[in-house]
mmCIF file of all heavy atoms in Angstrom:
data_model
loop_
_atom_site.group_PDB
_atom_site.id
_atom_site.type_symbol
_atom_site.label_atom_id
_atom_site.label_comp_id
_atom_site.label_asym_id
_atom_site.label_seq_id
_atom_site.Cartn_x
_atom_site.Cartn_y
_atom_site.Cartn_z
ATOM 1 N N ARG A 489 113.241 56.207 3.314
ATOM 2 C CA ARG A 489 113.706 56.146 1.908
ATOM 3 C C ARG A 489 114.185 57.526 1.456
ATOM 4 O O ARG A 489 113.841 58.537 2.064
ATOM 5 C CB ARG A 489 112.531 55.683 1.007
ATOM 6 C CG ARG A 489 112.086 54.256 1.243
ATOM 7 C CD ARG A 489 110.996 53.836 0.302
ATOM 8 N NE ARG A 489 110.538 52.521 0.620
ATOM 9 C CZ ARG A 489 111.126 51.408 0.152
ATOM 10 N NH1 ARG A 489 112.166 51.493 -0.634
ATOM 11 N NH2 ARG A 489 110.646 50.213 0.502
ATOM 12 N N THR A 490 114.916 57.527 0.395
ATOM 13 C CA THR A 490 115.348 58.776 -0.218
ATOM 14 C C THR A 490 114.307 59.188 -1.251
ATOM 15 O O THR A 490 114.064 58.429 -2.237
ATOM 16 C CB THR A 490 116.731 58.669 -0.877
ATOM 17 O OG1 THR A 490 117.677 58.212 0.172
ATOM 18 C CG2 THR A 490 117.178 59.980 -1.425
ATOM 19 N N ILE A 491 113.639 60.291 -1.068
ATOM 20 C CA ILE A 491 112.529 60.736 -1.891
ATOM 21 C C ILE A 491 112.763 62.115 -2.479
ATOM 22 O O ILE A 491 113.113 63.049 -1.703
ATOM 23 C CB ILE A 491 111.200 60.710 -1.119
ATOM 24 C CG1 ILE A 491 110.903 59.285 -0.621
ATOM 25 C CG2 ILE A 491 110.056 61.239 -1.968
ATOM 26 C CD1 ILE A 491 109.700 59.192 0.317
ATOM 27 N N VAL A 492 112.615 62.271 -3.777
ATOM 28 C CA VAL A 492 112.581 63.560 -4.434
ATOM 29 C C VAL A 492 111.162 63.801 -4.827
ATOM 30 O O VAL A 492 110.584 63.032 -5.624
ATOM 31 C CB VAL A 492 113.516 63.620 -5.651
ATOM 32 C CG1 VAL A 492 113.451 65.017 -6.284
ATOM 33 C CG2 VAL A 492 114.954 63.284 -5.284
ATOM 34 N N PHE A 493 110.550 64.835 -4.251
ATOM 35 C CA PHE A 493 109.129 65.134 -4.413
ATOM 36 C C PHE A 493 108.933 66.455 -5.114
ATOM 37 O O PHE A 493 109.402 67.495 -4.628
ATOM 38 C CB PHE A 493 108.463 65.150 -3.004
ATOM 39 C CG PHE A 493 106.948 65.091 -3.022
ATOM 40 C CD1 PHE A 493 106.276 63.938 -2.732
ATOM 41 C CD2 PHE A 493 106.223 66.216 -3.353
ATOM 42 C CE1 PHE A 493 104.896 63.873 -2.722
ATOM 43 C CE2 PHE A 493 104.825 66.195 -3.370
ATOM 44 C CZ PHE A 493 104.172 65.008 -3.039
ATOM 45 N N ILE A 494 108.253 66.434 -6.254
ATOM 46 C CA ILE A 494 108.017 67.669 -7.015
ATOM 47 C C ILE A 494 106.646 68.214 -6.615
ATOM 48 O O ILE A 494 105.653 67.505 -6.536
ATOM 49 C CB ILE A 494 108.049 67.381 -8.516
ATOM 50 C CG1 ILE A 494 109.354 66.729 -8.929
ATOM 51 C CG2 ILE A 494 107.824 68.690 -9.315
ATOM 52 C CD1 ILE A 494 110.581 67.475 -8.636
ATOM 53 N N SER A 495 106.553 69.529 -6.371
ATOM 54 C CA SER A 495 105.338 70.124 -5.941
ATOM 55 C C SER A 495 105.300 71.600 -6.307
ATOM 56 O O SER A 495 106.386 72.248 -6.442
ATOM 57 C CB SER A 495 105.140 69.993 -4.449
ATOM 58 O OG SER A 495 103.943 70.615 -4.001
ATOM 59 N N HIS A 496 104.138 72.124 -6.629
ATOM 60 C CA HIS A 496 103.980 73.566 -6.783
ATOM 61 C C HIS A 496 103.291 74.158 -5.564
ATOM 62 O O HIS A 496 103.011 75.358 -5.520
ATOM 63 C CB HIS A 496 103.125 73.850 -8.046
ATOM 64 C CG HIS A 496 101.715 73.429 -7.940
ATOM 65 N ND1 HIS A 496 101.315 72.114 -8.266
ATOM 66 C CD2 HIS A 496 100.579 74.047 -7.483
ATOM 67 C CE1 HIS A 496 100.029 71.984 -8.080
ATOM 68 N NE2 HIS A 496 99.551 73.145 -7.559
ATOM 69 N N ASP A 497 102.940 73.331 -4.573
ATOM 70 C CA ASP A 497 102.155 73.719 -3.416
ATOM 71 C C ASP A 497 103.079 73.975 -2.209
ATOM 72 O O ASP A 497 103.696 73.049 -1.696
ATOM 73 C CB ASP A 497 101.134 72.594 -3.124
ATOM 74 C CG ASP A 497 100.203 72.972 -2.011
ATOM 75 O OD1 ASP A 497 100.645 73.505 -1.019
ATOM 76 O OD2 ASP A 497 98.975 72.740 -2.192
ATOM 77 N N LEU A 498 103.156 75.224 -1.807
ATOM 78 C CA LEU A 498 104.029 75.584 -0.677
ATOM 79 C C LEU A 498 103.642 74.883 0.605
ATOM 80 O O LEU A 498 104.496 74.396 1.335
ATOM 81 C CB LEU A 498 104.013 77.090 -0.491
ATOM 82 C CG LEU A 498 104.893 77.660 0.625
ATOM 83 C CD1 LEU A 498 106.365 77.269 0.391
ATOM 84 C CD2 LEU A 498 104.757 79.146 0.764
ATOM 85 N N ASP A 499 102.336 74.808 0.906
ATOM 86 C CA ASP A 499 101.933 74.121 2.137
ATOM 87 C C ASP A 499 102.372 72.668 2.122
ATOM 88 O O ASP A 499 102.812 72.146 3.151
ATOM 89 C CB ASP A 499 100.406 74.196 2.273
ATOM 90 C CG ASP A 499 99.930 75.641 2.628
ATOM 91 O OD1 ASP A 499 100.763 76.399 3.163
ATOM 92 O OD2 ASP A 499 98.787 75.927 2.345
ATOM 93 N N GLU A 500 102.267 72.022 0.997
ATOM 94 C CA GLU A 500 102.653 70.638 0.893
ATOM 95 C C GLU A 500 104.172 70.491 1.078
ATOM 96 O O GLU A 500 104.648 69.623 1.836
ATOM 97 C CB GLU A 500 102.299 70.088 -0.494
ATOM 98 C CG GLU A 500 102.651 68.606 -0.704
ATOM 99 C CD GLU A 500 102.069 68.129 -2.026
ATOM 100 O OE1 GLU A 500 102.531 68.538 -3.095
ATOM 101 O OE2 GLU A 500 101.157 67.247 -1.969
ATOM 102 N N ALA A 501 104.941 71.353 0.473
ATOM 103 C CA ALA A 501 106.375 71.336 0.581
ATOM 104 C C ALA A 501 106.796 71.502 2.038
ATOM 105 O O ALA A 501 107.700 70.830 2.549
ATOM 106 C CB ALA A 501 107.025 72.394 -0.287
ATOM 107 N N MET A 502 106.171 72.482 2.713
ATOM 108 C CA MET A 502 106.538 72.767 4.103
ATOM 109 C C MET A 502 106.122 71.641 5.033
ATOM 110 O O MET A 502 106.793 71.376 6.042
ATOM 111 C CB MET A 502 105.818 74.062 4.566
ATOM 112 C CG MET A 502 106.104 75.259 3.719
ATOM 113 S SD MET A 502 107.773 75.865 3.868
ATOM 114 C CE MET A 502 107.544 77.117 5.095
ATOM 115 N N ARG A 503 105.074 70.945 4.651
ATOM 116 C CA ARG A 503 104.555 69.907 5.523
ATOM 117 C C ARG A 503 105.371 68.620 5.477
ATOM 118 O O ARG A 503 105.595 67.970 6.501
ATOM 119 C CB ARG A 503 103.101 69.554 5.110
ATOM 120 C CG ARG A 503 102.382 68.604 6.047
ATOM 121 C CD ARG A 503 100.950 68.454 5.656
ATOM 122 N NE ARG A 503 100.209 67.689 6.619
ATOM 123 C CZ ARG A 503 98.937 67.350 6.496
ATOM 124 N NH1 ARG A 503 98.244 67.761 5.454
ATOM 125 N NH2 ARG A 503 98.350 66.652 7.445
ATOM 126 N N ILE A 504 105.863 68.242 4.289
ATOM 127 C CA ILE A 504 106.536 66.952 4.130
ATOM 128 C C ILE A 504 108.048 67.079 3.941
ATOM 129 O O ILE A 504 108.733 66.062 4.149
ATOM 130 C CB ILE A 504 105.921 66.165 2.983
ATOM 131 C CG1 ILE A 504 106.271 66.794 1.648
ATOM 132 C CG2 ILE A 504 104.419 65.946 3.157
ATOM 133 C CD1 ILE A 504 105.856 65.946 0.438
ATOM 134 N N GLY A 505 108.513 68.253 3.557
ATOM 135 C CA GLY A 505 109.920 68.308 3.117
ATOM 136 C C GLY A 505 110.896 68.446 4.261
ATOM 137 O O GLY A 505 110.716 69.325 5.155
ATOM 138 N N ASP A 506 111.937 67.634 4.235
ATOM 139 C CA ASP A 506 113.070 67.850 5.144
ATOM 140 C C ASP A 506 113.876 69.064 4.647
ATOM 141 O O ASP A 506 114.296 69.915 5.478
ATOM 142 C CB ASP A 506 113.998 66.627 5.221
ATOM 143 C CG ASP A 506 113.300 65.426 5.816
ATOM 144 O OD1 ASP A 506 112.835 65.554 6.968
ATOM 145 O OD2 ASP A 506 113.228 64.368 5.187
#
Side-chain angles (χ1 to χ4, degrees):
R489 294 182 183 276
T490 304
I491 298 173
V492 179
F493 193 104
I494 305 301
S495 179
H496 67 272
D497 187 313
L498 181 59
D499 289 336
E500 181 172 68
M502 304 289 265
R503 186 174 188 183
I504 69 172
D506 294 304

